Amino acid sequence: MSDVYLQALLSGLMIGGVYALVAVGLTLIFGVMDIINFAHGEFLMFGMYAAFFASVLFGIDPYVTAVLALPAFFAVGWAIQGTLIKPVVGKSHAIQILLTLGLSLLLQALAQYLFSADFQSLKLDYADATLQIAGARIGWTRVAAFAISMGLCLALWLFLQRTDTGKALRACAEEHEGSLAVGIDLGRMYKIAFGLGIACVAIAGIAMTPFFYVAPVVGPKFTLVAFVIVVLGGLGNIPGAVAGALIVGVVESVGALVMPSPSLKDLAVYVLFILVLLFRPQGLFGGKGA
Amino acid sequence: MSMLAIRDLHSGYGDVPILHGFDLDIEERMIGAVVGANGAGKTTTMRAVAGILPTWRGEISLAGERIDGLTPRQRVEAGVVLVPEGRKLFPSMTVRENLELGSLHPRAKAARAQTLEQVFDIFPRLLEREGQKAGTLSGGEQQMCAIGRGLMSLPRLLMLDEPSLGLAPIIVQTIFDIVRRIREEGVTVLMVEQNVRHALALSDRAWVLEQGRVEFEGAGQEMLNDDRVRKAYLGM
């Protein structure tokens, strides 16, 4: 019996790590620009398709694709910010939500048109290798996804703490007029934030491709989970998002065991979400910049 | 040549005009003060010079070079630095990080360590509080940090918007002493102050702004003795 729980705990942590990378991108974009990117999950989906087709068509390993995709998706995010998102920065939330939600639908439709609506998955010869921890078994591909995600979250954190550009990003998340006063180019910071956010979520998608299905509709679930995590961790708070993601991963995975039906596992997450909104609306770890 | 020359400046928020065209000249190494009632356009003037608000009509020049077409970032690089009303520090970042963020452009960055030393020399208090989050500082310390952050950009013209607002009288005196010292280091200072008496006593030149226009101007000391100023702003 206890092995079952250990198994659930470890599985939850592994997927929670991937959620962290998705959520960190969302919270970075929110922190700097005050925009919730409801098309976030669609970039995860495009990351997955990039890994899928690179493997199927050219035999490129997903982990190699991940390295190549980092600058590519950063550039995509940069370009989307500079064209589509730029006009709505600082506008009403309703307009921003309509835009990013519209972008989400557009990207899903585009994916259906380009890749068909079929669910597909990669067959890799190392996909079944597992790691034994006490009574539990974890697939190596999941361990790798966890390690890649945590590594990138840490790298992003160090970038924000140590470099001038990172500090400038935090500065404009905190204080717009102060940023203008010290000569920070806000437009450039927005492009960097969106580029980094999109690169993070796309890499999360690529890291999952060895063990997760690929389909045009895979995105919204991740957007929603990331949104829950971002609220849990405190809007704009990056370490909070990482901790929130691990909590959500474990609650979801253990929830599948303790709930009367495994299909109710998401319920546990949303109950937690509502409890936090009721009793600690600033998030478990406080808001921006904390 | 003037360090800052404003000609026929029109600016405002959205489509609401605040400044209706005025001229202002401040010589190098002078302290200038802009005084006037709330809503007269004092803060708007500073924001327009810093590039945070657009110049609708007119010209702004720094040491003879037009700057009204530059972005806020380019103006900071050119040496026009604003210390905004309400300090606008980055509250969850440390004092040191706040100061470092003042020196982002290449010229300031190259001199960062040296300028930081000078700022700590002017404000020993900031050195003691170096690792503390700016949001936890007292009001006076926050103002010191904001001025220090401005100095980190290596300004030629430092604009202080209400530097004494909300500070205890003894701290106000310290801040004004520091303004004098900054001028001695070769920086031109333009400030907006609600503490009219102090500001006029300190300044070489002052402008009284009313409804977006300069109502009258003169040397600070003269203005202190001007009946109109005394009646309207000093309550005498």
Side-chain angles (χ1 to χ4, degrees), chain B residues 2 17 26 32 35 37 57 62 81 85 125 147 151 160 167 169 171 174 176 189 207 223:
Chain B
S2 305
I26 180 166
V35 298
R57 217 172 90 193
L62 183 79
V81 177
E85 181 180 356
R125 205 49 170 284
I147 296 175
L151 291 174
L160 305 174
L167 301 183
I171 309 289
T174 313
F176 283 140
V189 178
W207 298 263
M223 303 270 275

Side-chain angles (χ1 to χ4, degrees), chain A residues 160-161 164-168 170-172 174-185 188 288-290, chain B residues 47 52 72-73 76 81-82 84-85 88-93 97 100-104 109 112 133 149 153:
Chain A
L160 290 172
Q161 293 299 316
D164 272 4
T165 308
K167 286 174 188 172
R170 283 160 59 212
C172 72
E174 290 204 353
E175 178 44 69
H176 272 216
E177 195 181 336
S179 299
L180 285 171
V182 299
I184 292 172
D185 180 346
R188 183 164 165 270
K288 267 186 191 184
Chain B
R47 289 186 168 174
I52 294 172
R73 179 190 170 80
V76 170
V81 177
L82 172 67
E85 181 180 356
K88 309 292 179 194
L89 293 172
F90 309 115
S92 80
M93 301 175 79
E97 284 175 324
E100 284 172 355
L101 282 165
S103 56
L104 290 177
K109 195 171 173 172
R112 184 179 284 175
K133 286 187 177 174
R149 185 179 70 179
S153 305

Side-chain angles (χ1 to χ4, degrees), chain B:
Chain B
M1 195 195 322
S2 305
M3 177 50 73
L4 176 72
I6 297 177
R7 293 283 171 272
D8 190 33
L9 179 62
H10 288 68
S11 182
Y13 296 83
D15 52 6
V16 182
I18 305 285
L19 303 179
H20 304 284
F22 73 86
D23 297 345
L24 183 155
D25 277 280
I26 180 166
E27 302 300 317
E28 197 172 351
R29 285 173 180 252
M30 272 196 173
I31 297 176
V34 179
V35 298
N38 282 337
K42 302 178 304 259
T43 294
T44 309
T45 304
M46 296 215 151
R47 289 186 168 174
V49 174
I52 294 172
L53 289 175
T55 299
W56 291 345
R57 217 172 90 193
E59 294 180 7
I60 305 171
S61 307
L62 183 79
E65 304 274 332
R66 285 280 291 274
I67 59 164
D68 46 77
L70 303 181
T71 63
R73 179 190 170 80
Q74 289 168 327
R75 294 189 206 197
V76 170
E77 262 188 279
V80 178
V81 177
L82 172 67
V83 178
E85 181 180 356
R87 350 281 187 220
K88 309 292 179 194
L89 293 172
F90 309 115
S92 80
M93 301 175 79
T94 64
V95 168
R96 195 190 179 91
E97 284 175 324
N98 269 276
L99 294 175
E100 284 172 355
L101 282 165
S103 56
L104 290 177
H105 65 83
R107 188 170 52 94
K109 195 171 173 172
R112 184 179 284 175
Q114 205 185 334
T115 322
L116 200 57
E117 220 167 277
Q118 289 168 3
V119 168
F120 285 146
D121 185 49
I122 299 175
F123 302 107
R125 205 49 170 284
L126 294 182
L127 182 59
E128 290 166 32
R129 302 265 187 267
E130 197 188 358
Q132 200 172 315
K133 286 187 177 174
T136 65
L137 298 176
S138 73
E141 289 165 348
Q142 288 196 9
Q143 189 59 54
M144 293 176 190
C145 188
I147 296 175
R149 185 179 70 179
L151 291 174
M152 292 296 294
S153 305
L154 303 177
R156 300 166 76 187
L157 172 72
L158 187 69
M159 296 189 289
L160 305 174
D161 194 350
E162 302 281 11
S164 76
L165 194 68
L167 301 183
I170 184 157
I171 309 289
V172 172
Q173 196 50 57
T174 313
I175 297 288
F176 283 140
D177 289 345
I178 283 158
V179 170
R180 232 179 248 116
R181 173 156 178 200
I182 289 168
R183 185 255 301 271
E184 278 157 26
E185 311 256 338
V187 179
T188 309
V189 178
L190 181 64
M191 61 181 183
V192 159
E193 255 299 331
Q194 33 83 41
N195 194 331
V196 176
R197 191 190 310 267
H198 257 105
L200 292 180
L202 179 68
S203 57
D204 304 300
R205 189 125 200 115
W207 298 263
V208 175
L209 222 57
E210 252 170 47
Q211 305 197 352
R213 291 191 179 85
V214 173
E215 197 61 23
F216 42 99
E217 63 171 291
Q221 287 293 345
E222 281 170 30
M223 303 270 275
L224 264 183
N225 301 321
D226 187 300
D227 282 343
R228 292 169 301 180
V229 176
R230 287 163 70 96
K231 268 210 187 84
Y233 300 102
L234 301 173
M236 290 187 284

Side-chain angles (χ1 to χ4, degrees), chain A residues 162-221:
Chain A
R162 301 277 169 85
T163 68
D164 272 4
T165 308
K167 286 174 188 172
L169 278 170
R170 283 160 59 212
C172 72
E174 290 204 353
E175 178 44 69
H176 272 216
E177 195 181 336
S179 299
L180 285 171
V182 299
I184 292 172
D185 180 346
L186 292 181
R188 183 164 165 270
M189 289 302 130
Y190 295 158
K191 288 180 191 153
I192 293 173
F194 211 79
L196 286 174
I198 296 309
C200 285
V201 68
I203 301 298
I206 294 168
M208 284 172 60
T209 312
F211 60 86
F212 210 86
Y213 65 86
V214 183
V217 293
V218 74
K221 191 233 147 140

